[in-house]
Amino acid sequence: IANGSALALGSTLVTYTVVDAAGNSFETSFTVTVEDNQSPVFDSAPQDITLNSDSGQCSAAHSWAAPQTSDNCPNLNLNTSHPSGSAFSVGTTDVTMFLTDGSNNTVQHTFTITVVDIEDPLLSGVPTDMNLTTDPGVCGANVDWALPVATDNCDVSDLVSSYDPGDFFEIGTHTVTYTVMDTSGLTLSASFEITVTDNEAPAFVTTPDSQTLTTDINTCTTSAMWATPELSDNCGIQSLTSTAQSGDTFEIGTTQVTMTLKDVHGNETLHQFDITVLDEQNPEILGMPESIQMSNDLHNCGAMVSWIEPTVSANCLGATLQSSHVPGEYIALGTQTVT
């Protein structure tokens, strides 16, 4: 082999032989070893990329073109930590390629695949709006409902609510809001309303009874007294009105007294009782004439008799005076009773 020759990769034996004029010879050798210390090269390779998660998945599939490579020697071998087309979880994944030549010279290329979760979590089974009346005897209601179900393409990290099933709700409209968060920090909120109405009427704990009274002396009326009723309501009394008040004066006959009890939410309850006034005072006849004795009229068997009519005194109007005889009437002989 001539000095300066190109030798192949590996060990090559170079031998020198010398021969003299008499034909005597001598030979000696040495070995030339050619080693490959040149690393292969990625001429082109995949670069960092950011992807959105596939629909309904907490990952994304990604494929890339095979890298272009070169080396001074043949027999390159390429190994990759993740095959092209693999599914990559939400987050950041390093993909490393190892390029090795026949002399075990190795070079690596790393690129990053970032998968972003863009899919909001979901809430199913959120209750519809609820309209309720107060629980008996209280100014509100304890309300129960089924919890909604939270789902996500990845994982749900938290589900919070402004109210919990079984909570007590006062009169009015309240908004119940559920908020779900997934492990990527994406949130979704859903709401429904609970309206509590007071339909419970106020109540009379004690009530006045009907009364039968007689007129006061020499009047056609009397006053009636009754105790103030005791009242109750689940939310509160607004007003108590009555068509008559204790101590009022009532005339002859029956008067119906109506009490109207109203609570703070407009619910009403009525209580009615009667005040009956009787006139048990007899009327009086005033100026009743004394008995009269007189002679018959001339040529008559009797006489025309006159007297002053009495008057009537009564505590009520409407008293009338009736008489069996009237002044100036002809009275036959004998004794007649005028009533």
Side-chain angles (χ1 to χ4, degrees):
I1 298 173
N3 187 18
S5 297
L7 301 182
L9 189 67
S11 296
T12 301
L13 182 65
V14 178
T15 301
Y16 277 92
T17 302
V18 60
V19 179
D20 62 12
N24 297 308
S25 64
F26 176 77
E27 186 177 279
T28 185
S29 299
F30 65 94
T31 300
V32 177
T33 300
V34 178
E35 296 178 347
D36 179 13
N37 291 326
Q38 182 175 334
S39 297
V41 175
F42 285 96
D43 297 318
S44 67
Q47 301 301 307
D48 295 346
I49 190 170
T50 298
L51 307 170
N52 293 332
S53 59
D54 294 338
S55 177
Q57 303 296 318
C58 195
S59 61
H62 180 56
S63 298
W64 55 83
Q68 299 295 314
T69 61
S70 61
D71 191 50
N72 58 319
C73 294
N75 300 322
L76 290 176
N77 184 41
L78 178 67
N79 290 303
T80 307
S81 60
H82 300 78
S84 176
S86 296
F88 294 86
S89 299
V90 168
T92 300
T93 304
D94 288 334
V95 178
T96 302
M97 294 180 166
F98 300 92
L99 184 61
T100 304
D101 63 14
S103 299
N104 288 323
N105 295 305
T106 300
V107 65
Q108 71 180 43
H109 169 71
T110 298
F111 62 98
T112 298
I113 296 177
T114 302
V115 178
V116 179
D117 177 17
I118 62 169
E119 193 167 326
D120 289 335
L122 299 176
L123 277 172
S124 60
V126 177
T128 56
D129 293 345
M130 305 169 70
N131 293 294
L132 306 164
T133 57
T134 54
D135 293 339
V138 294
C139 196
N142 290 96
V143 185
D144 277 308
W145 61 86
L147 287 172
V149 177
T151 57
D152 189 61
N153 59 317
C154 293
D155 290 322
V156 172
S157 65
D158 199 12
L159 176 64
V160 296
S161 175
S162 55
Y163 296 93
D164 294 319
D167 279 355
F168 181 82
F169 291 82
E170 297 180 346
I171 297 292
T173 298
H174 310 267
T175 300
V176 180
T177 301
Y178 276 92
T179 300
V180 57
M181 178 183 292
D182 66 13
T183 52
S184 300
L186 299 172
T187 61
L188 176 76
S189 295
S191 301
F192 66 98
E193 290 186 343
I194 293 177
T195 300
V196 180
T197 304
D198 177 19
N199 288 341
E200 185 172 331
F204 288 92
V205 179
T206 61
T207 54
D209 295 326
S210 295
Q211 302 181 47
T212 299
L213 307 169
T214 58
T215 57
D216 295 336
I217 298 299
N218 297 327
T219 67
C220 200
T221 61
T222 190
S223 60
M225 303 288 292
W226 56 83
T228 301
E230 296 180 16
L231 313 173
S232 70
D233 187 65
N234 60 323
C235 289
I237 301 297
Q238 183 184 72
S239 63
L240 173 65
T241 59
S242 179
T243 55
Q245 305 301 319
S246 177
D248 282 356
T249 298
F250 293 84
E251 297 181 350
I252 292 290
T254 298
T255 302
Q256 187 177 72
V257 178
T258 299
M259 289 183 165
T260 302
L261 178 60
K262 184 181 292 186
D263 69 13
V264 292
H265 296 119
N267 298 303
E268 288 186 356
T269 299
L270 300 181
H271 171 67
Q272 294 177 323
F273 61 97
D274 292 334
I275 301 295
T276 301
V277 179
L278 303 177
D279 177 16
E280 295 184 350
Q281 181 177 337
N282 294 327
E284 297 181 13
I285 298 175
L286 305 177
M288 188 69 177
E290 299 292 335
S291 296
I292 300 172
Q293 185 174 355
M294 63 183 302
S295 299
N296 63 299
D297 292 343
L298 185 64
H299 305 303
N300 286 294
C301 194
M304 302 291 290
V305 184
S306 293
W307 61 85
I308 297 175
E309 282 193 312
T311 59
V312 176
S313 174
N315 61 318
C316 293
L317 297 176
T320 60
L321 180 65
Q322 296 177 341
S323 178
S324 59
H325 300 78
V326 295
E329 185 178 330
Y330 179 81
I331 305 297
L333 190 66
T335 299
Q336 305 290 331
T337 300
V338 179
T339 300

